[in-house]
């Protein structure tokens, strides 16, 4: 059974940094692309970043480009999202999700429960 | 970037009703559209990929259609457990943008 479990969300001050983690089970990152998607309180979904199964192709939304970095540790089957220069508008629940059948055109078939990041002074 | 719109923004319907949600893209996305259902406080649930393909385990009362820029999600006979917010997502080009959501309530 595929499962994703995010952690690391906390209250952080504007300008601060944070690293989110996502531990996967039931599949291997080398066989599936993965994404981070966020949802601000009471708002809709926003695609943040994605990494392919080879780990050599990572893409970002313009809103986070240059501030967020996605990486993975295959030995731990863990995905990371390094977040820097955080702004109030980065406040959101952050979800990691698995690409359906390793095909980006199909969408995101499994999601974690999310972790809340609050950026506030 | 491809922008997505959805209509209506909310709908209230009775059990057994047919509900249709429309999703529109600002440019041609072929058939690369996915649908998700989200309940309050929960992660989105994957329903449909490539416009009309049901994810395993999704009830057959859900169906999707369309192509190019105009798409639909149809719930043929609304059930109490179908309440929630439905999002479309274009998966044709980065960034993979979502629609603003359609909230479905049961009368």
């Amino acid at each position: 059974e595929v499962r994703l479990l995010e952690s690391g969300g906390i209250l952080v001050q504007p300008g601060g940094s944070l690293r989110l983690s996502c531990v996967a089970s039931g599949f291997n990152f080398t066989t599936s692309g993965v994404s981070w998607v966020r949802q601000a309180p009471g708002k809709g979904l926003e695609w943040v970043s994605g990494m392919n199964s080879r780990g050599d192709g990572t893409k970002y939304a313009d809103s986070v480009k240059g501030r967020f970095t996605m990486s993975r540790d295959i030995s731990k089957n863990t995905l990371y999202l390094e977040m820097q220069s955080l702004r109030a508008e980065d406040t959101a629940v952050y979800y990691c999700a698995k690409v359906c059948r390793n095909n980006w055109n199909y969408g995101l078939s499994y999601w974690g429960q999310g972790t809340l990041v609050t950026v506030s002074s | 970037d491809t922008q997505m719109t959805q209509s209506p923004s909310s709908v209230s319907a009775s059990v057994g009703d047919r509900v249709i949600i429309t999703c529109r893209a600002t440019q041609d996305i072929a058939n690369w559209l996915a649908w998700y259902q989200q309940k309050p406080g929960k992660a989105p649930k994957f329903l449909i990929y490539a416009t009309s393909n049901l994810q395993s385990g999704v009830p057959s009362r859900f169906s999707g259609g369309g192509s190019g820029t105009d798409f639909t999600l149809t719930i043929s006979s609304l059930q109490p457990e179908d309440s929630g917010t439905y999002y479309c997502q274009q998966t044709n080009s980065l960034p993979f943008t979502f629609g603003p959501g359609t909230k479905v309530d049961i009368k």
Side-chain angles (χ1 to χ4, degrees), chain B residues 27-103:
Chain B
Q27 55 189 280
D28 188 340
I29 59 170
N31 69 328
W32 299 125
L33 188 92
W35 288 97
Y36 305 85
Q37 175 197 62
Q38 187 178 35
K39 293 185 179 287
K42 300 293 186 182
K45 175 186 175 183
F46 187 53
L47 297 177
I48 287 174
Y49 62 96
T51 296
S52 58
N53 296 274
L54 255 60
Q55 171 70 342
S56 175
V58 174
S60 59
R61 62 180 179 273
F62 290 91
S63 64
S67 67
T69 60
D70 295 307
F71 302 86
T72 57
L73 174 69
T74 300
I75 308 173
S76 61
S77 177
L78 191 68
Q79 299 301 303
E81 60 267 31
D82 298 336
S83 65
T85 301
Y86 291 80
Y87 294 93
C88 61
Q89 180 197 25
Q90 66 83 15
T91 54
N92 179 65
S93 62
L94 290 169
F96 296 134
T97 41
F98 292 86
T102 295
K103 187 176 181 181

